[in-house]
Amino acid sequence: MASAILSILQTNAVHNLIPKREKTKKQKSLLKALVGLNARQWAEFGTGWLAWICDSIDFYSVSLSVTNLSTQFGKDTTDITRAITLTLLLRPVGAILFGMISDRYGRKYPLALNLLLISCLELCAGFVQTYSQFLALRSLFGVAMGGIWGLAASTGLENLPIETRGLASGVLQEGYAVGCLVAAIIDLYLVPEQAHSWRALFWCAAGISMFAAIVRLCLPESQVFLTARAYARIREDSRGRRTRGLHRTKIFLNETKKMLRRHWILCIYAVVFMSGFNFLSHGSQDLFPTYIQISKGFSAHDATTMTIIGFCGAIIGGAVSGAISQYIGRRLSMILFVLLGALFIPLWILPNSFAGLAVGAFCVQFGLQGSWGAMAIHLAEMSPPAFRATFPGVVYQVGNMASSASAQIEAIGGNNLKTTISVPDSMKNPTGQEVVPDYGRVQGILIGCVAAFTMIVTAVGPEHHGYEFEKHRVAFEEGGADNDAVLTEEVPEDGR
């Protein structure tokens, strides 16, 4: 078995890195496919994109507030980053819970409930008075947050034609960067102007998530899910028996077990794959504002401005990477952009000027976050098709859990690797120099090592470019876990 697996990995890396795209009967150009999208398809994609933006704003609020939180609770950077670690550690719980509910009951209400929950928890986090309360709420927030990505990606992509999915994946995935950008703008312009400090950022994030939940409730259920459910009912009627709710849930659980038995190797690979990419993401983002303020001696305002510039690079890189993946393949696009980001690491570390560091942030994020552009569609195509919400969400968040200590690793590394910066002359610093943690070099070392690992893992992995997963049966139908369980009958477009 080991030799067979090694042979498959070698074939993927050597012969299948640029895959043969599966062509549909009526394949269109990207422009024609975009023009042909109807209002419902745009709305469903927009809903998934908005949900992912909310997830990002809520999560990145802590990264932007590390210095203020340290002052508020009398803790050091390592203690505050523990909240980030706990959030990431508990994400898989939410991914399993909300992913399974979505694959069983649909996309609409699970996603709306998920958004309402993170809104409430983010609102409460803005009222905490002690460090222990803050850790407890961020832990619960991790559970709620874990469900968003799988539901957002399945909602946003499954209703789109194949020709648009590469670009759409890039735009959807960089909703994360858009969310970070929004959080940074709020932190830059609102937080300093009122007495509530960091709390205002959390309250704004809660309001945006509440708005997204209301939007999701106002829109209809996913068309693809309705169609697949209608197909299941046609098959049941043809057999002379209609399956009810509890029995469908039992079928769903049995099909889930079947999927895990058949695809356990894929599950392990996907977790390793996502661990590398999540280390790249969190290793280059979570402690960046702290790095700029402490290791480079810039103000919080300058650090936030550089963060905004970096996320602009991420947004552009993700859209470009996703669009390119439609032509050269998902994995090759990812590898090229990871390599590009890694090549700019010196520009991330060495400059001491605002302009130099801002350019470094833009270029590194263009590459590293750009490599995520094809991630949503790659995982959707790789997944057992009946579990498009559960599988991508769980492997994504288990990968997040594996990378959960990245901020703490960098904080501890910075405490052991020092640098010297210039400070105004004072009685405490008569030489005008101060020894501070060198977070830049720590981040550069971590990003470089993880980039090499991630490119190798990506190269040897599977790819199902252009797979029509929307034509697969639902997971609560008998045989739904089978790879060949596709829809073969016409059903009404309204899903009835």
Side-chain angles (χ1 to χ4, degrees):
M1 184 177 183
S3 61
I5 293 174
L6 289 174
S7 176
I8 293 172
L9 296 178
Q10 181 182 8
T11 301
N12 287 339
V14 177
H15 302 291
N16 298 333
L17 193 56
I18 301 179
K20 294 180 179 179
R21 289 184 289 161
E22 297 184 23
K23 293 185 177 181
T24 59
K25 294 179 180 179
K26 299 179 180 179
Q27 194 160 11
K28 305 175 183 177
S29 67
L30 174 60
L31 182 59
K32 286 184 178 180
L34 287 172
V35 172
L37 295 179
N38 58 42
R40 184 168 182 172
Q41 288 172 311
W42 281 111
E44 287 172 336
F45 173 77
T47 301
W49 182 70
L50 180 59
W52 190 223
I53 287 175
C54 293
D55 182 290
S56 171
I57 297 172
D58 295 328
F59 177 77
Y60 203 62
S61 297
V62 175
S63 295
L64 288 169
S65 307
V66 168
T67 304
N68 288 333
L69 290 168
S70 297
T71 303
Q72 175 77 41
F73 300 125
K75 301 290 183 179
D76 61 20
T77 299
T78 304
D79 291 326
I80 299 303
T81 55
R82 188 171 293 120
I84 297 174
T85 301
L86 287 172
T87 300
L88 295 175
L89 278 173
L90 290 168
R91 277 187 177 191
V93 178
I96 294 170
L97 177 63
F98 286 99
M100 293 183 71
I101 292 173
S102 181
D103 282 330
R104 168 61 183 89
Y105 294 103
R107 313 301 187 212
K108 178 178 179 177
Y109 293 107
L111 181 55
L113 175 63
N114 204 173
L115 287 165
L116 286 171
L117 188 55
I118 66 171
S119 174
C120 292
L121 291 170
E122 189 79 351
L123 181 66
C124 292
F127 288 99
V128 298
Q129 299 299 319
T130 68
Y131 176 67
S132 297
Q133 292 172 352
F134 184 72
L135 286 185
L137 270 173
R138 294 307 292 184
S139 299
L140 291 174
F141 181 79
V143 175
M145 193 178 186
I148 294 292
W149 191 84
L151 275 61
S154 57
T155 298
L157 296 179
E158 68 185 8
N159 298 283
L160 298 177
I162 289 176
E163 298 86 355
T164 66
R165 286 177 181 168
L167 176 61
S169 175
V171 174
L172 176 73
Q173 185 60 42
E174 294 315 320
Y176 182 88
V178 173
C180 292
L181 186 63
V182 171
I185 291 172
I186 294 171
D187 184 66
L188 184 63
Y189 293 106
L190 177 64
V191 171
E193 299 299 324
Q194 43 73 54
H196 298 292
S197 183
W198 60 271
R199 300 178 189 275
L201 176 56
F202 284 71
W203 294 334
C204 286
I208 295 170
S209 296
M210 180 65 71
F211 170 76
I214 294 171
V215 170
R216 175 66 272 193
L217 286 171
C218 292
L219 294 173
E221 177 60 88
S222 164
Q223 180 63 61
V224 167
F225 186 85
L226 288 176
T227 300
R229 185 172 64 185
Y231 173 83
R233 289 174 177 171
I234 289 174
R235 286 179 59 85
E236 290 169 359
D237 291 342
S238 68
R239 296 170 182 167
R241 57 185 177 88
R242 174 64 66 89
T243 304
R244 299 301 174 186
L246 183 60
H247 185 56
R248 282 185 175 178
T249 300
K250 291 180 179 178
I251 293 173
F252 173 78
L253 294 175
N254 288 332
E255 294 299 316
T256 302
K257 293 175 185 176
K258 186 192 298 184
M259 180 270 291
L260 291 173
R261 285 196 301 269
R262 291 182 176 179
H263 299 288
W264 63 272
I265 294 177
L266 177 63
C267 292
I268 293 173
Y269 167 79
V271 167
V272 175
F273 170 76
M274 290 309 304
S275 297
F277 273 94
N278 277 298
F279 258 111
L280 283 179
S281 179
H282 294 291
S284 64
Q285 289 181 346
D286 293 353
L287 221 59
F288 179 74
T290 307
Y291 155 52
I292 295 300
Q293 292 179 63
I294 294 178
S295 301
K296 294 297 183 179
F298 285 90
S299 67
H301 183 280
D302 288 340
T304 304
T305 302
M306 286 186 220
T307 300
I308 291 172
I309 293 171
F311 283 124
C312 288
I315 293 167
I316 297 170
V320 173
S321 171
I324 289 175
S325 77
Q326 198 68 28
Y327 303 98
I328 67 173
R330 316 302 186 197
R331 290 177 300 144
L332 184 56
S333 172
M334 291 175 177
I335 291 169
L336 291 176
F337 273 76
V338 170
L339 178 60
L340 180 64
L343 291 175
F344 282 108
I345 290 175
L347 195 56
W348 175 279
I349 302 170
L350 299 178
N352 291 312
S353 66
F354 179 92
L357 289 167
V359 171
F362 182 92
C363 293
V364 169
Q365 295 299 346
F366 178 88
L368 296 186
Q369 295 304 317
S371 68
W372 280 79
M375 185 62 70
I377 187 59
H378 182 50
L379 285 182
E381 291 170 340
M382 183 196 302
S383 301
F387 299 88
R388 293 189 302 278
T390 306
F391 183 91
V394 171
V395 299
Y396 184 108
Q397 302 302 358
V398 174
N400 256 324
M401 182 177 69
S403 68
S404 61
S406 57
Q408 283 192 295
I409 290 171
E410 291 176 351
I412 294 170
N415 291 335
N416 290 279
L417 189 63
K418 302 290 186 177
T419 189
T420 302
I421 62 172
S422 298
V423 295
D425 292 343
S426 67
M427 293 298 293
K428 292 183 179 180
N429 297 284
T431 62
Q433 301 288 316
E434 183 179 356
V435 177
V436 296
D438 193 351
Y439 293 126
R441 270 198 292 170
V442 173
Q443 288 179 339
I445 293 169
L446 178 66
I447 293 169
C449 293
V450 175
F453 167 81
T454 302
M455 286 188 286
I456 294 171
V457 172
T458 303
V460 301
E463 181 173 346
H464 304 297
H465 193 284
Y467 181 60
E468 297 177 292
F469 48 74
E470 73 279 5
K471 295 183 178 180
H472 203 275
R473 297 183 197 172
V474 286
F476 54 80
E477 184 181 4
E478 290 184 2
D482 298 338
N483 290 334
D484 59 350
V486 296
L487 305 180
T488 56
E489 300 176 32
E490 294 293 329
V491 296
E493 289 191 359
D494 61 2
R496 295 175 183 172

